[in-house]
């Protein structure tokens, strides 16, 4: 009898039951919503309803602005999607719960990729829950249109331009791309890698070294971007990335360049990948693996205690959930102990390419997608790249001057 009462007393000391968990994120496309269903089901298994706070805007810039505003107002969500160096910046502010108890319980030191440990762990332990590993330098190809145009899959940018010009002549959209700064900037990253290789990309766009920004390779990459902007009519103003994916999937567009969240949307639309739409490294990728990773931070607040954060983090660290979430999202797991049988062949290729790239120091963080520099510099550079793409009056020299001044101000 005593034991039962003691047991009840101890149970009442555990985390007070959560009415629900408010999650702020920018996952609003068809594929992203399907992966959120996996997340919702996982929490419901533990009787915790998910309260969505979706913020429109792929890439997450707007979501981060909203999170900052809510933190300043003292009205943080319980959990927020986040990427890269911002994680440690939020931790330093002191309004983020530790996730270290979960990291120890799930042995993250030994079963996460070292890149993921580095992003999510400070010298006081884990401060964020790692959830996805996306590859950005993918080229998605509509095989039906490629065959109709009697083209092979381009491996170089000259071949890419030939294919895009032939598509345009046939009234096919050469490259599906949304008119958003982060999308154009992500495209530009692949052009920089093609122009100067991985080391040049790292020194110019991650380390922001002025003498690498002010270079022939960067001028060449800008010329290539201008060529693309001249090819793509701006009939897709303010198109989101997923409406671009719909154009690719519905045989209106020949190519799309972008992260494998595109795979998540293609699978959500029952498009057969890689048969109908194939996945290939962006032209002249030099075997690079340009990546970003999503994580969750748990915001400290009176109505979301450390104990409750530990409870939710433990549920979302579950291996089977992490596997299923990534399978649906189009990404690959950040845990190294997950079997990829049942994943799409493009995800298996991504995993194999990532492991190879890590071995050869060719896995590089995406600057434009929040994995490399502070968000102010990132967004400033992205918007300069977008302005150059949209306005033929902007010269390369003006672009380089502006990017160097942003780099020097970080
Ligand atoms: C990235 C994020 C992906 C996907 C993409 C498009 O920043 O890591 O999970 O959401 O934006 O919105």
């Amino acid at each position: 009898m005593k034991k039962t009462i003691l047991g009840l007393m101890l149970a009442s000391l555990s985390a007070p039951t959560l009415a629900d968990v408010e999650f702020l994120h920018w996952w609003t496309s068809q594929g992203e919503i399907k992966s959120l269903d996996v997340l919702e089901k996982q929490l419901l298994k533990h009787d915790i309803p998910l309260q969505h706070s979706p913020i429109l805007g792929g890439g997450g810039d707007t979501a981060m602005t909203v999170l900052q505003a809510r933190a300043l107002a003292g009205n943080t969500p319980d959990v927020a999607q986040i990427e890269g160096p911002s994680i440690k910046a939020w931790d330093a502010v002191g309004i983020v719960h530790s996730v270290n108890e979960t990291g120890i319980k799930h042995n993250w030191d030994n079963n996460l990729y070292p890149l993921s440990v580095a992003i999510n762990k400070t010298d006081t332990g884990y401060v964020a829950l790692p959830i996805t590993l996306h590859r950005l330098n993918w080229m998605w190809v509509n095989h039906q249109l490629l065959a109709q145009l009697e083209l092979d899959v381009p491996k170089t940018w000259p071949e890419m331009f030939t294919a895009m010009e032939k598509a345009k002549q046939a009234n096919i959209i050469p490259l599906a791309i949304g008119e958003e700064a982060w999308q154009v900037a992500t495209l530009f990253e692949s052009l920089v890698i093609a122009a100067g290789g991985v080391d040049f990309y790292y020194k110019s766009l991650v380390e922001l070294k002025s003498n690498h920004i002010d270079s022939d390779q960067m001028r060449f990459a800008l010329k290539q971007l201008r060529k693309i902007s001249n090819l793509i009519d701006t009939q897709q103003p303010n198109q989101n990335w997923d409406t671009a994916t719909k154009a690719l999937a519905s045989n209106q567009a020949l190519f799309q360049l972008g992260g494998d969240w595109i795979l998540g949307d293609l699978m959500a639309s029952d498009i057969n990948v890689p048969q109908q739409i194939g996945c290939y490294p962006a032209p002249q990728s030099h075997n690079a693996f340009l990546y970003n990773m999503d994580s969750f931070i748990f915001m400290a607040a009176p109505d979301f205690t450390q104990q409750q954060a530990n409870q939710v983090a433990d549920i979302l660290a579950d291996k089977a959930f992490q596997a299923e979430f990534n399978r649906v999202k189009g990404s690959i797991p950040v845990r190294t102990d997950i079997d990829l049988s049942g994943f799409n062949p493009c995800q298996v290729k991504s995993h194999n390419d990532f492991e190879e790239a890590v071995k050869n120091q060719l896995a590089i963080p995406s600057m434009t997608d929040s994995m490399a520099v502070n968000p102010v510099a990132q967004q400033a550079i992205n918007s300069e790249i977008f302005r150059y793409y949209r306005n033929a009056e902007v010269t390369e020299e003006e672009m380089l001057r502006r990017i160097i001044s942003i780099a020097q101000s970080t």
Side-chain angles (χ1 to χ4, degrees):
M1 187 59 177
K2 269 195 188 129
K3 247 192 181 168
T4 316
I5 291 167
L6 179 62
L8 283 173
M9 279 170 62
L10 286 174
S12 69
L13 289 178
S14 65
T17 49
L18 273 164
D20 62 24
V21 166
E22 186 196 357
F23 175 43
L24 183 141
H25 60 84
W26 59 90
W27 287 329
T28 56
S29 76
Q30 205 181 346
E32 292 169 336
I33 287 169
K34 278 199 94 163
S35 55
L36 283 166
D37 290 345
V38 178
L39 172 64
E40 191 150 24
K41 286 193 180 79
Q42 174 68 1
L43 288 171
L44 277 177
K45 267 192 230 165
H46 300 266
D47 302 322
I48 300 175
L50 179 65
Q51 183 202 324
H52 288 278
S53 289
I55 309 293
L56 262 178
D61 294 350
T62 312
M64 289 300 98
T65 304
V66 170
L67 182 62
Q68 284 161 19
R70 288 191 57 174
L72 285 171
N75 167 32
T76 49
D78 300 319
V79 182
Q81 176 188 358
I82 192 165
E83 300 160 294
S86 298
I87 292 168
K88 291 178 180 173
W90 275 95
D91 174 59
V93 170
I95 59 169
V96 167
H97 281 308
S98 162
V99 190
N100 204 44
E101 184 178 295
T102 298
I104 292 168
K105 178 178 176 187
H106 290 266
N107 192 16
W108 283 350
D109 281 356
N110 297 311
N111 67 27
L112 289 182
Y113 288 117
L115 280 172
S116 177
V117 173
I119 286 286
N120 292 285
K121 186 179 183 183
T122 67
D123 50 16
T124 59
Y126 288 93
V127 295
L129 174 106
I131 184 97
T132 67
L133 171 55
H134 277 295
R135 178 183 202 165
L136 278 75
N137 61 325
W138 276 120
M139 174 175 65
W140 306 91
V141 180
N142 183 301
H143 284 147
Q144 178 183 314
L145 294 178
L146 199 73
Q148 179 186 318
L149 293 165
E150 296 175 336
L151 291 165
D152 294 325
V153 174
K155 287 192 172 46
T156 67
W157 275 100
E159 290 169 1
M160 186 74 174
F161 280 110
T162 303
M164 289 197 288
E165 276 145 15
K166 196 167 183 184
K168 181 161 184 155
Q169 281 151 24
N171 285 323
I172 293 167
I173 296 171
L175 178 72
I177 185 164
E179 290 280 305
E180 292 176 308
W182 75 282
Q183 284 192 68
V184 172
T186 306
L187 165 65
F188 184 63
E189 284 185 328
S190 283
L191 293 169
V192 170
I193 293 168
V198 166
D199 188 50
F200 173 75
Y201 164 84
Y202 198 84
K203 287 193 169 65
S204 58
L205 290 187
V206 175
E207 294 178 332
L208 298 177
K209 289 185 182 310
S210 300
N211 62 342
H212 285 76
I213 297 168
D214 181 6
S215 64
D216 293 342
Q217 298 93 320
M218 195 57 83
R219 286 179 175 82
F220 182 71
L222 285 168
K223 282 186 174 59
Q224 297 282 75
L225 185 63
R226 173 75 76 226
K227 265 180 86 174
I228 292 174
S229 67
N230 292 337
L231 257 176
I232 313 287
D233 303 332
T234 49
Q235 85 271 6
Q236 306 150 14
N238 299 316
Q239 176 172 258
N240 296 329
W241 70 267
D242 50 322
T243 36
T245 302
K246 284 186 175 54
L248 174 80
S250 55
N251 301 330
Q252 296 168 56
L254 177 58
F255 301 119
Q256 185 174 12
L257 279 162
D260 33 35
W261 43 84
I262 291 168
L263 172 60
D265 265 47
L266 291 170
M267 292 191 292
S269 313
D270 295 325
I271 297 294
N272 194 317
V273 181
Q275 284 73 6
Q276 276 179 269
I277 304 289
C279 55
Y280 303 88
Q284 290 169 255
S285 268
H286 299 277
N287 299 320
F289 190 103
L290 185 66
Y291 68 84
N292 86 315
M293 294 185 263
D294 293 298
S295 299
F296 294 168
I297 48 177
F298 297 76
M299 313 305 289
D303 60 353
F304 191 59
T305 64
Q306 176 67 67
Q307 271 184 307
Q308 290 170 326
N310 291 341
Q311 180 190 5
V312 175
D314 180 36
I315 292 167
L316 300 182
D318 173 76
K319 184 173 164 183
F321 160 69
Q322 291 256 335
E324 182 58 7
F325 184 87
N326 281 283
R327 190 189 66 76
V328 174
K329 185 74 172 58
S331 45
I332 57 176
V334 280
R335 290 182 60 142
T336 56
D337 58 349
I338 287 176
D339 172 21
L340 295 191
S341 49
F343 279 67
N344 184 282
C346 294
Q347 289 168 299
V348 174
K349 178 168 174 46
S350 186
H351 170 263
N352 297 339
D353 287 358
F354 177 68
E355 301 235 323
E356 199 58 27
V358 167
K359 237 187 279 172
N360 301 312
Q361 288 85 44
L362 296 173
I364 40 183
S366 167
M367 182 281 291
T368 64
D369 202 356
S370 313
M371 293 304 293
V373 301
N374 74 65
V376 173
Q378 170 203 327
Q379 288 174 30
I381 293 173
N382 286 3
S383 64
E384 288 302 333
I385 294 167
F386 191 45
R387 194 169 72 92
Y388 173 85
Y389 174 83
R390 295 270 297 239
N391 180 350
E393 307 293 311
V394 179
T395 65
E396 290 147 33
E397 296 315 309
E398 183 186 346
M399 258 300 282
L400 296 181
R401 267 199 312 278
R402 283 169 170 254
I403 294 183
I404 287 169
S405 64
I406 294 165
Q408 288 170 344
S409 64
T410 54

